[in-house]
Amino acid sequence: MSLIPSFFGNRRSNVYDPFSLDIWDPLKDFPFSSSAISASFPRENSAFVSTRVDWKETPEAHVFKADLPGLKKEEVKVEIEDDRVLQISGERNVEKEDKNDEWHRVERSSGKFLRRFRLPENAKMDQVKASMENGVLTVTLPKEEIKKPEVKSIEISG
């Protein structure tokens, strides 16, 4: 039922009513129970496929920040490959289940994650630093100054 009268007439439980507080359940008319659903679809979901990473370039460095809540630094791996690729990977394990527990909602993800970034030519590959604080991984790659080619003007005779 809506707190505000509907503009669509007195149909307060209508799907098209933007003020309706009814929650639509797309599976409510199917003949299987929620326990059958959870058995068919295991709770381990693809964890950090969409791990959020910010990459900013300052005058001094390239800085990557990744949100990895609940992970310890031992569960995260930062690697630099020969072909100038930064790789951030890790895994969050599934929480142990007690047979007596009844789950109402599972939104936190678990499993492996992997993000790769091709680094620009001005990144100093041998001076990479990484730190983790409050679930945020920060990877800093200092930049080397790229010297602009010296242009020499040549006088034309004749």
Side-chain angles (χ1 to χ4, degrees), residues 43 92-98 101 103 108-110:
R43 288 181 346 111
R92 175 181 287 146
N93 297 319
V94 179
E95 188 175 321
K96 292 184 180 181
E97 292 187 30
D98 186 346
D101 291 345
W103 292 87
R108 293 174 43 220
S109 46
S110 59

Side-chain angles (χ1 to χ4, degrees), residues 105-149:
R105 182 175 299 266
V106 178
E107 294 182 345
R108 293 174 43 220
S109 46
S110 59
K112 296 180 181 182
F113 70 93
L114 172 71
R115 294 295 308 269
R116 297 172 57 125
F117 302 92
R118 176 145 329 263
L119 299 170
E121 292 294 323
N122 66 349
K124 292 184 180 179
M125 308 297 281
D126 56 340
Q127 296 180 16
V128 180
K129 293 185 179 162
S131 64
M132 191 140 165
E133 186 175 335
N134 296 328
V136 178
L137 172 70
T138 302
V139 179
T140 306
L141 289 107
K143 290 170 41 177
E144 55 187 46
E145 289 184 37
I146 296 178
K147 295 184 179 179
K148 295 182 180 178

Side-chain angles (χ1 to χ4, degrees), residues 11-34:
R11 302 177 312 231
R12 293 176 192 247
S13 63
N14 189 320
V15 173
Y16 302 106
D17 182 355
F19 300 108
S20 174
L21 295 178
D22 292 346
I23 298 174
W24 178 61
D25 181 4
L27 302 176
K28 77 174 184 180
D29 295 326
F30 283 100
F32 47 79
S33 67
S34 62

Side-chain angles (χ1 to χ4, degrees), residues 48-56 62-73 76-78 86-90 92 113-117 129-140:
F48 299 96
V49 170
S50 61
T51 295
R52 305 291 186 212
V53 178
D54 294 338
W55 175 2
K56 72 176 177 181
H62 292 276
V63 181
F64 295 83
K65 290 192 177 213
D67 287 339
L68 303 172
L71 290 181
K72 300 176 189 145
K73 65 180 183 179
V76 179
K77 191 187 302 186
V78 178
L86 169 67
Q87 179 171 300
I88 301 171
S89 61
R92 175 181 287 146
F113 70 93
L114 172 71
R115 294 295 308 269
R116 297 172 57 125
F117 302 92
K129 293 185 179 162
S131 64
M132 191 140 165
E133 186 175 335
N134 296 328
V136 178
L137 172 70
T138 302
V139 179
T140 306

